[in-house]
Amino acid sequence: MDAFQRAIETRDVEAAGEVLDPDYALCLVHPTAMVIPRDQWLAMLPNYVVHEWTVQEQQIDTDGDCALVFHRGLQRATVVGEPRDGIFVVSDIWRRREDGWRVWRRDSSPLAPLEMPAR
């Protein structure tokens, strides 16, 4: 989890790629439903500038080769030149593979309405 967050904050595409499952997707349902596959997410990462990320609450549950991580955090960020600030609820689903744990799916939902940056 720390390696994934560090890769996001440093915008390190190579490090993020090492943590992501080959079938990774960012699956959003709020404020706009969309699925951003791994390749698109990695291409956007250099334009995702995190100014602050503070975890307010975190719960981790594991069952065999699956883990679920719930976060509520305060984020200040700029995504593709647009502000993406606020409190977010993030759910990460991790799967254990032969080479270790990989993030398979992520949902990131703001608690307050905001505009999503253009893809």
Side-chain angles (χ1 to χ4, degrees):
M1 292 181 330
D2 293 338
F4 186 37
Q5 187 60 37
R6 206 170 26 260
I8 293 169
E9 291 180 10
T10 60
R11 297 178 280 157
D12 187 334
V13 173
E14 184 176 330
E18 292 175 9
V19 177
L20 298 180
D21 188 89
D23 194 34
Y24 169 84
L26 173 62
C27 303
L28 305 175
V29 294
H30 174 78
T32 303
M34 69 176 72
V35 175
I36 302 170
R38 183 181 195 274
D39 290 345
Q40 286 181 349
W41 189 88
L42 287 170
M44 185 180 67
L45 184 57
N47 295 308
Y48 195 117
V49 181
V50 177
H51 309 290
E52 176 184 359
W53 171 252
T54 304
V55 175
Q56 299 175 329
E57 183 67 35
Q58 180 173 304
Q59 297 175 5
I60 302 170
D61 289 307
T62 59
D63 185 2
D65 292 338
C66 183
L68 180 57
V69 180
F70 291 115
H71 314 266
R72 183 185 69 235
L74 172 64
Q75 175 179 274
R76 287 187 325 101
T78 305
V79 180
V80 191
E82 298 292 325
R84 187 146 163 81
D85 302 340
I87 296 175
F88 290 79
V89 175
V90 179
S91 302
D92 290 326
I93 300 171
W94 292 74
R95 298 194 298 188
R96 185 175 14 218
R97 301 300 198 187
E98 290 180 9
D99 58 349
W101 287 94
R102 301 286 176 250
V103 183
W104 179 59
R105 294 287 188 271
R106 169 172 270 204
D107 173 74
S108 177
S109 298
L111 289 183
L114 58 86
E115 290 291 320
M116 294 295 292
R119 294 206 272 167

